[in-house]
Amino acid sequence: MPQIPQKYRASERWSFGDNEAQADELAKRVIDGIKTATCANLDDEPEPEPGEIFVVVDGRNKPVCAVQLTEVKQVPFDLVTEQHAWEEGEGDRTLASWRTEHQRFFEEYEMFSPNMPLLLMKFVLLETF
């Protein structure tokens, strides 16, 4: 397993998607510069802030890179834009595809609502491992 540079060892780890294959694919898309955004439901955790650094892991929890948040904003699910869907870099990168996949994901965890607030986050790749 690659060593995480000391400067990132205290950073929270992120995995994208909800299964091993998806986590692998999306981590690769981050490294390839295709995936530059993500979203999350609001929960009781503190909201991340621009400037925070996260370590992205693949489907086996292997660290692959570090990213830094550049923008965080709250937006209702039904107001997510085509631009954000493109920046998330998933599926065919359309808003229709984004909505279908994210609705499926949130329904699986019984938290979907068309106007549910989401945290939309943009990030830049800092370093690969």
Side-chain angles (χ1 to χ4, degrees):
M1 181 180 300
Q3 285 290 329
I4 298 175
Q6 183 65 38
K7 61 187 170 184
Y8 303 126
R9 290 195 183 152
S11 299
E12 184 178 329
R13 293 180 182 205
W14 276 1
S15 161
F16 298 113
D18 60 357
N19 61 61
E20 186 175 309
Q22 201 172 42
D24 288 348
E25 174 61 26
L26 296 177
K28 182 179 180 323
R29 288 179 180 221
V30 171
I31 290 168
D32 292 344
I34 297 167
K35 182 171 182 60
T36 60
T38 192
C39 73
N41 64 303
L42 291 175
D43 56 22
D44 294 333
E45 297 293 317
E47 267 187 44
E49 296 181 11
E52 285 189 63
I53 295 171
F54 296 89
V55 171
V56 176
V57 298
D58 66 13
R60 289 158 308 289
N61 204 33
K62 178 183 136 200
V64 297
C65 65
V67 298
Q68 184 172 34
L69 293 180
T70 59
E71 183 180 311
V72 179
K73 62 183 176 181
Q74 282 188 38
V75 174
F77 180 92
D78 58 357
L79 294 181
V80 170
T81 65
E82 188 82 43
Q83 180 66 35
H84 181 81
W86 179 262
E87 291 168 348
E88 277 210 32
E90 299 180 20
D92 66 7
R93 302 180 79 178
T94 64
L95 182 57
S97 171
W98 183 93
R99 284 189 173 147
T100 299
E101 179 58 21
H102 285 76
Q103 181 173 339
R104 178 206 60 78
F105 175 84
F106 290 121
E107 283 177 343
E108 190 173 308
Y109 294 93
E110 298 180 359
M111 58 174 86
F112 177 73
S113 163
N115 62 352
M116 67 184 287
L118 296 176
L119 285 178
L120 303 187
M121 297 168 275
K122 293 183 182 182
F123 54 81
V124 294
L125 177 65
L126 295 176
E127 186 174 342
T128 59
F129 311 135

